[in-house]
């Protein structure tokens, strides 16, 4: 197959003005960091703010916002029903505990992502005694689902190593 492919593009100018007006208000939205909505359910020691939700931008399938967690603060055991959650650590050190007895634990620092699948019992902890933990939080639905669980955390949770292509399991040979 050789030769150049010349395509002539014809533009239908009748729809441009309509689209421009529609996309102008219903297209991409920038939500400035200093204009987040503090009117969201909160937990003691945690300052949550909504950036993206149905009320603010009409988001149907996502919720996004920030959470700042005071030093040493922790949530109770809970899960988020059918929602998937992603936590991105901006600053500080996060410790996650999860499982039927919160027996597993992993830590995350700046630049790390944490994924919490639906219905997984977990607890979020600021692992630092003196630094605020700053995170970006994304959920797979606009509704805020949090089901508190009556779990007594075990004293010494089993450590789960953060294993990915960069952080190999210590037992693996190089």
């Amino acid at each position: 197959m050789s030769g150049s492919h010349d395509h002539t593009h014809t533009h239908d100018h009748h729809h441009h003005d309509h689209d421009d007006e529609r996309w102008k208000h219903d297209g991409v939205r920038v939500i400035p960091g200093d204009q987040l909505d503090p009117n969201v359910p909160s937990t003691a020691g945690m300052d949550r703010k909504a950036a993206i939700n149905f009320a603010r931008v009409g988001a149907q399938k996502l919720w996004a916002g920030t959470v700042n967690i005071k030093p040493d603060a922790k949530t109770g055991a809970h899960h988020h029903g059918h929602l998937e959650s992603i936590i991105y650590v901006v600053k500080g050190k996060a410790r996650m505990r999860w499982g039927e007895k919160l027996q597993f634990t992993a830590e995350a620092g700046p630049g790390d992502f944490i994924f919490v699948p639906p219905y997984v019992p977990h607890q979020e902890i600021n692992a630092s005694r003196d630094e605020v933990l700053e995170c970006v939080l994304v959920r797979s639905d606009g509704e805020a689902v949090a089901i508190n669980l009556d779990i007594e955390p075990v004293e010494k949770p089993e450590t789960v190593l953060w294993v990915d292509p960069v952080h190999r399991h210590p037992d693996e040979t190089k």
Side-chain angles (χ1 to χ4, degrees):
M1 226 174 109
S2 65
S4 67
H5 297 287
D6 288 328
H7 296 291
T8 51
H9 295 283
T10 56
H11 294 287
D12 185 352
H13 292 286
H14 297 296
H15 293 294
H16 264 334
D17 294 338
H18 173 70
D19 279 352
D20 284 352
E21 219 26 61
R22 182 166 59 117
W23 295 133
K24 180 176 180 180
H25 299 292
D26 296 329
V28 172
R29 302 278 296 274
V30 172
I31 290 63
D34 60 359
Q35 292 176 27
L36 304 189
D37 183 2
N39 297 311
V40 293
S42 232
T43 311
M46 308 206 175
D47 174 26
R48 278 193 198 88
K49 290 190 169 92
I52 308 297
N53 59 18
F54 182 76
R56 300 203 74 190
V57 300
Q60 307 273 343
K61 298 175 183 163
L62 289 171
W63 183 97
T66 59
V67 59
N68 288 348
I69 303 167
K70 291 185 178 141
D72 249 356
K74 42 186 81 79
T75 65
H78 65 283
H79 70 72
H80 298 290
H82 66 283
L83 305 189
E84 292 180 325
S85 298
I86 296 167
I87 301 163
Y88 174 77
V89 181
V90 177
K91 187 176 173 214
K93 190 202 254 181
R95 180 179 302 125
M96 298 292 289
R97 292 175 64 172
W98 72 95
E100 291 301 322
K101 298 196 181 339
L102 303 180
Q103 68 268 43
F104 307 108
T105 183
E107 294 194 347
D112 292 339
F113 286 84
I114 301 165
F115 173 64
V116 183
Y119 301 105
V120 173
H122 65 283
Q123 176 184 36
E124 290 123 349
I125 300 163
N126 182 343
S128 169
R129 291 174 187 273
D130 46 29
E131 191 182 8
V132 170
L133 170 61
E134 296 179 13
C135 299
V136 172
L137 180 56
V138 180
R139 293 208 183 110
S140 63
D141 201 322
E143 54 184 318
V145 177
I147 291 95
N148 291 315
L149 303 169
D150 193 13
I151 295 177
E152 193 59 47
V154 293
E155 281 308 307
K156 292 191 169 136
E158 173 192 335
T159 297
V160 173
L161 296 158
W162 203 273
V163 177
D164 61 30
V166 178
H167 307 88
R168 300 235 175 259
H169 194 283
D171 298 346
E172 276 183 34
T173 53
K174 301 242 182 241

